[in-house]
C-alpha cells in the first residue's frame, strides 16, 4: 500500500460499489421495459438484442462500480494492475457471450425470415457463435498479457492434423454450408431422395440433415449424401403442385357427360377440402382405349405436398358417389379362361375383376385313360 487505509476510503469504495449495483438494477428495469416494447414490433432482431443486453449491462455496471472502488483504495501498483486486468477480463467474457448471443440470434432470425418456417439452420448459427467466442477468447488472453502469436502458430500447425483426421466431418460441414448457400434445400421443404428417403427438412446442422417423415419419424442424412444424390424438392420452384388421378369409364358412357360431371366434382373438392386450390382450373384428359374402359386423367390442384392424400381421398369418394347417382359405370375387367376337359370338350369360364391367371392354369390337359 502507498498509504494507510482509512474509513473514508472504505466509505467511498462502498458508495461506488452500491452505485454500481443500483445502476445495474435500474438498467435491468429499463431493459425489461424496452423488451416489452420490442415484442410489439414486427422485427424480431430488437427482441434478441434487448434480451442479450439484459445479461451484459447490469454486470458491466457492477464491474464499473468495482473498478471505481479499486481506484480509490490505497492499493499497490501490482495489486491495482491485477484487479484491473481481472475486471477487464470478466467484462470481456460477458461482452463476448452477449455479442455471440446477439449475432447468433440475428443469424437464426434471418434464416427464419428467408425460409418462412419455424425450423432453424443451426449450421450457420453454430459457426457464427464459435467464431465470436474464439475472437473474444483471444482478446481476453491478450488483455491478460498472454501472447497469442505462439498460440495462433500452434493452432495453424495443429489445424492441418485435425483437418486430416476429420475429413468426413469437414466434408459434411462444407456440404451443409453449400446446401444452405445455394438454397437448393431449406428447413421446411419436402424432399425425396433417389434412395427412397423423403420428408420435411427439420434442420441442417454441421454434420447431417434431419428429415421428418409423414409418420413423424426422423431420418438422419449426412450432408455429403444429401448434396451428392439425386433429389426432388417439392417446394421448388413453388410450393403448390398438381395431382394426377387415373380414372376409367365404360365404352357405353357419354364422354361429354362424364367430363362435365367430373369437373363439377373437382370444383367441389377444390372449394371444400382444406389444402386444395379454389382457383385451380379443373382438367380432364382422355388418353387410353383400354381392354374394358376408356382411361382418362383428372388433374387436381394441391397447396402443399402432404395435402394430396386428403384431397385424393375426398375426390375418389365424391366421384364414386356421383358416378353412381348419374349412372356412369366404372367397369371391372373381364377375363375368359378356357378349360380343356378329358373328353375333348372345351368350356369357357368368364371371370370379372380378377387378374389374368398364369399360363399353366389357363388350359389343363388331361390324358385319356
Amino acid at each position: 500500500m502507498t498509504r494507510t487505509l482509512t474509513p473514508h476510503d472504505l466509505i467511498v469504495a462502498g458508495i461506488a460499489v452500491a452505485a454500481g449495483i443500483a445502476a445495474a438494477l435500474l438498467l435491468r428495469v429499463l431493459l425489461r421495459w424496452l423488451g416489452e416494447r420490442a415484442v410489439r414490433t414486427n422485427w424480431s432482431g430488437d427482441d434478441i438484442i434487448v434480451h442479450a443486453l439484459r445479461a451484459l449491462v447490469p454486470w458491466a455496471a457492477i464491474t464499473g462500480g468495482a473498478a471505481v472502488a479499486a481506484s480509490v483504495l490505497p492499493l499497490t501498483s501490482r495489486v491495482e494492475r491485477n484487479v484491473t486486468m481481472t475486471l477487464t477480463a470478466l467484462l470481456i467474457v460477458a461482452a463476448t457471450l452477449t455479442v455471440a448471443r446477439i449475432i447468433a440470434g440475428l443469424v437464426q432470425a434471418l434464416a427464419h425470415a428467408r425460409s418462412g418456417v419455424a425450423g432453424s439452420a443451426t449450421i450457420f448459427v453454430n459457426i457464427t457463435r464459435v467464431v465470436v467466442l474464439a475472437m473474444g477468447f483471444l482478446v481476453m488472453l491478450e488483455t491478460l498479457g498472454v501472447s497469442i502469436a505462439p498460440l495462433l502458430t500452434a493452432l495453424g500447425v495443429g489445424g492441418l492434423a485435425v483437418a486430416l483426421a476429420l475429413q468426413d466431418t469437414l466434408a459434411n460441414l462444407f456440404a451443409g454450408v453449400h446446401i444452405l448457400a445455394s438454397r437448393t434445400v431449406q428447413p421446411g421443404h419436402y424432399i425425396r431422395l433417389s434412395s427412397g428417403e423423403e420428408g420435411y427438412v427439420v434442420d441442417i446442422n454441421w454434420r447431417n440433415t434431419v428429415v421428418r417423415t409423414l409418420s413423424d419419424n426422423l431420418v438422419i442424412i449426412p450432408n455429403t449424401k444429401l448434396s451428392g444424390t439425386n433429389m426432388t424438392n417439392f417446394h421448388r420452384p413453388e410450393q403448390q403442385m398438381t395431382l394426377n388421378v387415373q380414372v376409367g369409364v365404360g365404352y357405353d358412357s357419354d364422354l361429354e357427360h362424364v367430363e362435365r360431371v367430373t369437373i363439377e366434382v373437382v370444383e367441389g373438392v377444390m372449394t371444400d377440402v382444406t389444402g386444395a386450390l379454389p382457383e385451380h382450373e379443373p382438367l380432364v384428359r382422355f388418353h387410353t382405349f383400354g381392354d374394358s374402359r376408356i382411361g382418362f386423367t383428372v388433374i387436381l390442384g394441391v397447396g402443399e405436398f402432404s395435402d394430396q392424400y386428403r384431397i385424393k381421398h375426398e375426390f375418389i369418394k365424391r366421384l364414386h358417389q356421383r358416378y353412381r347417382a348419374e349412372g356412369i359405370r366404372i367397369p371391372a375387367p373381364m377375363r375368359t379362361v378356357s378349360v380343356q376337359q378329358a373328353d375333348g370338350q372345351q368350356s369357357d369360364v368368364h371371370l370379372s375383376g380378377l387378374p389374368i391367371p398364369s399360363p399353366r392354369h389357363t388350359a389343363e390337359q388331361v390324358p385319356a385313360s
Side-chain angles (χ1 to χ4, degrees):
M1 294 183 181
T2 59
R3 60 183 175 84
T4 304
L5 182 64
T6 62
H8 179 269
D9 296 331
L10 295 177
I11 294 174
V12 174
I15 293 174
V17 173
I21 296 175
L25 295 177
L26 291 176
L27 289 172
R28 188 168 182 84
V29 173
L30 176 61
L31 289 173
R32 181 180 299 176
W33 179 80
L34 290 177
E36 295 175 355
R37 296 300 182 273
V39 172
R40 302 175 184 177
T41 62
N42 296 327
W43 185 48
S44 61
D46 51 1
D47 302 341
I48 298 171
I49 295 175
V50 172
H51 180 71
L53 290 178
R54 288 176 63 181
L56 171 64
V57 173
W59 285 107
I62 296 174
T63 304
V68 173
S71 65
V72 301
L73 293 175
L75 304 176
T76 62
S77 59
R78 181 178 180 181
V79 174
E80 184 177 358
R81 184 176 64 254
N82 292 335
V83 171
T84 302
M85 291 174 56
T86 302
L87 294 177
T88 304
L90 292 176
L91 187 59
I92 291 175
V93 170
T96 301
L97 294 176
T98 302
V99 172
R101 183 181 300 177
I102 291 175
I103 296 179
L106 292 177
V107 171
Q108 190 171 11
L110 181 61
H112 290 180
R114 291 195 173 184
S115 60
V117 294
S120 63
T122 58
I123 182 171
F124 285 152
V125 177
N126 292 335
I127 291 176
T128 303
R129 185 180 291 114
V130 169
V131 170
V132 174
L133 292 178
M135 293 177 62
F137 178 72
L138 294 177
V139 172
M140 184 188 67
L141 291 180
E142 188 71 22
T143 303
L144 294 176
V146 179
S147 178
I148 62 175
L151 179 60
L152 293 178
T153 303
L155 290 177
V157 176
L160 179 60
V162 172
L164 293 176
L166 301 177
Q167 294 185 32
D168 294 340
T169 301
L170 292 177
N172 285 316
L173 173 62
F174 288 111
V177 173
H178 170 72
I179 291 172
L180 289 175
S182 61
R183 303 189 67 182
T184 56
V185 177
Q186 292 183 348
H189 289 183
Y190 193 95
I191 62 174
R192 177 185 294 159
L193 304 185
S194 58
S195 55
E197 297 90 349
E198 64 177 272
Y200 290 97
V201 178
V202 176
D203 189 21
I204 303 176
N205 54 47
W206 61 276
R207 182 174 178 81
N208 49 56
T209 298
V210 182
V211 175
R212 178 176 55 85
T213 63
L214 294 179
S215 58
D216 269 343
N217 297 318
L218 296 181
V219 181
I220 311 301
I221 305 173
N223 291 333
T224 52
K225 180 180 179 182
L226 184 65
S227 62
T229 187
N230 295 333
M231 175 185 60
T232 303
N233 189 340
F234 291 95
H235 279 65
R236 288 287 189 245
E238 60 181 14
Q239 185 174 347
Q240 297 180 356
M241 56 180 291
T242 57
L243 172 64
N244 296 337
V245 181
Q246 304 300 325
V247 189
V249 295
Y251 279 93
D252 56 346
S253 301
D254 182 358
L255 298 187
E256 293 291 340
H257 182 220
V258 170
E259 181 176 6
R260 184 174 61 257
V261 170
T262 305
I263 288 178
E264 292 176 357
V265 174
V266 173
E267 290 176 345
V269 171
M270 292 295 99
T271 303
D272 301 338
V273 181
T274 303
L277 302 178
E279 68 278 5
H280 172 73
E281 180 183 358
L283 295 176
V284 175
R285 296 293 182 263
F286 296 95
H287 54 73
T288 304
F289 288 101
D291 294 338
S292 58
R293 64 182 68 187
I294 296 178
F296 60 94
T297 300
V298 181
I299 303 176
L300 308 175
V302 180
E304 201 268 334
F305 183 86
S306 60
D307 296 332
Q308 63 175 310
Y309 304 104
R310 178 175 60 255
I311 294 173
K312 186 175 183 179
H313 165 79
E314 189 65 26
F315 170 72
I316 290 178
K317 287 199 310 180
R318 294 190 182 189
L319 187 67
H320 181 260
Q321 181 180 6
R322 184 67 183 277
Y323 277 8
R324 292 184 62 181
E326 297 288 339
I328 300 175
R329 189 171 59 90
I330 304 177
M334 300 292 295
R335 299 290 182 262
T336 301
V337 180
S338 298
V339 180
Q340 189 73 28
Q341 300 179 357
D343 56 0
Q345 297 181 355
Q346 178 176 310
S347 60
D348 294 337
V349 179
H350 299 281
L351 303 177
S352 174
L354 297 178
I356 301 176
S358 57
R360 61 189 181 91
H361 294 129
T362 302
E364 180 181 1
Q365 300 289 340
V366 181
S369 57

